[in-house]
Amino acid sequence: MTKQRIALVTGANRGIGKEVARQLSHDHGLKVLVGSRDLERGQEAAHQIGHGADTLQLDVSDPTSVVAAFSRIEADYGRLEILVNNAGVDYDTDQQAHTADLARVHRAFETNLFGPWATTIAAVPLLKQGQNARIVNVSSGAGAFSGMSSGTPGYGISKAALNALTLKTAAELKSKRILVNAVCPGWVATDMGGGGRPVSEGAAGVVWAATLPDTGPTGGFFRDGQPIDW
Ligand code: NAP
């Protein structure tokens, strides 16, 4: 009997992350770990998802929390198949780069860049133990150099850096058959989006990258399963 595959989604207590966790669990039969910086909110989301979804306290900007979370995955499962780096903050439309509050920009980088970077470092030993391992970095068109314009400096530049991290880790992990891709979910109606298309549609493009076959792409930037410009 094949083992049930395990997926960790960060920031899965609400928004796109919660729906990604739901689709991975309900539509793809994965054991889903609902990463949440607030344990109770994570437990509530896991309960709503059902299907054996479990909760993991995980604040991606807190190194102690990251170490504890991955120690628990190692102790409980000894492996991981999918890491979805979804947690993100501060779509700072009220800022401009040339007048930005840099302390605020630093905070955005802690979650949007260093968070996924820390979870990737912690996850790779476990992903190497898994089958058909995948990393998905939930990025944004705001991080694309090709369309970069004024405003959202902390958010846009942290997502551009996340895209660079995607390319580096994809190249480094290719020989281990770990596929690493960046996905823009589009403009999605969550607390962050404040409007936009249904959460299920934004999440579907993330789930697509998380469930790619071995022949699938790595080191790409996608929206709705289609390549987009960096
Ligand atoms: P959201 O509704 O604001 O949810 C963000 C999630 O991230 C929440 O679960 C939040 O947890 C979690 N989070 C924030 N900081 C965290 C940390 N340090 N550690 C762990 N979790 C943390 O946002 P969303 O729209 O679902 O966005 C999900 C991802 O999609 C983000 O990376 C975002 O940049 C990207 N994205 C969204 C859109 C859009 O239109 N919505 C467009 C492009 C890209 P708490 O509940 O504890 O705050």
Side-chain angles (χ1 to χ4, degrees):
M1 202 178 109
T2 50
K3 287 184 187 165
Q4 190 179 26
R5 303 178 73 229
I6 302 163
L8 167 63
V9 183
T10 70
N13 55 292
R14 62 186 168 101
I16 294 167
K18 182 180 173 188
E19 175 61 15
V20 167
R22 195 196 66 77
Q23 290 184 16
L24 287 173
S25 165
H26 288 234
D27 303 344
H28 296 273
L30 279 123
K31 169 82 181 179
V32 165
L33 308 180
V34 173
S36 176
R37 54 182 169 176
D38 182 283
L39 187 61
E40 274 186 24
R41 286 201 293 258
Q43 285 169 335
E44 198 182 320
H47 179 72
Q48 286 166 2
I49 292 167
H51 281 235
D54 202 354
T55 316
L56 201 60
Q57 195 285 328
L58 177 54
D59 180 338
V60 299
S61 66
D62 175 0
T64 307
S65 170
V66 172
V67 168
F70 282 89
S71 299
R72 212 196 110 193
I73 299 174
E74 183 167 24
D76 288 356
Y77 306 103
R79 68 198 161 82
L80 183 69
E81 271 81 23
I82 294 170
L83 169 65
V84 179
N85 282 314
N86 165 78
V89 290
D90 201 2
Y91 186 55
D92 52 345
T93 50
D94 57 324
Q95 293 212 95
Q96 295 225 313
H98 72 285
T99 52
D101 172 354
L102 278 184
R104 182 175 167 190
V105 172
H106 273 268
R107 285 196 295 277
F109 268 70
E110 286 299 334
T111 298
N112 297 352
L113 174 66
F114 293 112
W117 202 335
T119 54
T120 297
I121 291 169
V124 164
L126 293 168
L127 291 168
K128 286 180 180 169
Q129 303 301 318
Q131 299 284 321
N132 317 98
R134 311 284 176 254
I135 300 174
V136 184
N137 292 325
V138 182
S139 183
S140 168
F145 278 98
S146 53
M148 203 158 290
S149 61
S150 66
T152 62
Y155 186 81
I157 298 173
S158 64
K159 292 293 190 181
L162 178 64
N163 285 353
L165 177 69
T166 303
L167 284 169
K168 294 242 172 242
T169 48
E172 291 168 4
L173 298 172
K174 196 171 183 176
S175 64
K176 307 292 178 203
R177 304 169 67 83
I178 300 174
L179 306 183
V180 187
N181 290 292
V183 170
C184 170
W187 181 37
V188 178
T190 61
D191 294 339
M192 179 185 283
R197 64 184 181 157
V199 180
S200 58
E201 288 181 19
V206 178
V207 169
W208 170 84
T211 55
L212 284 170
D214 275 348
T215 51
T218 192
F221 188 21
F222 299 93
R223 184 183 297 125
D224 298 328
Q226 299 300 319
I228 57 174
D229 289 339
W230 292 105

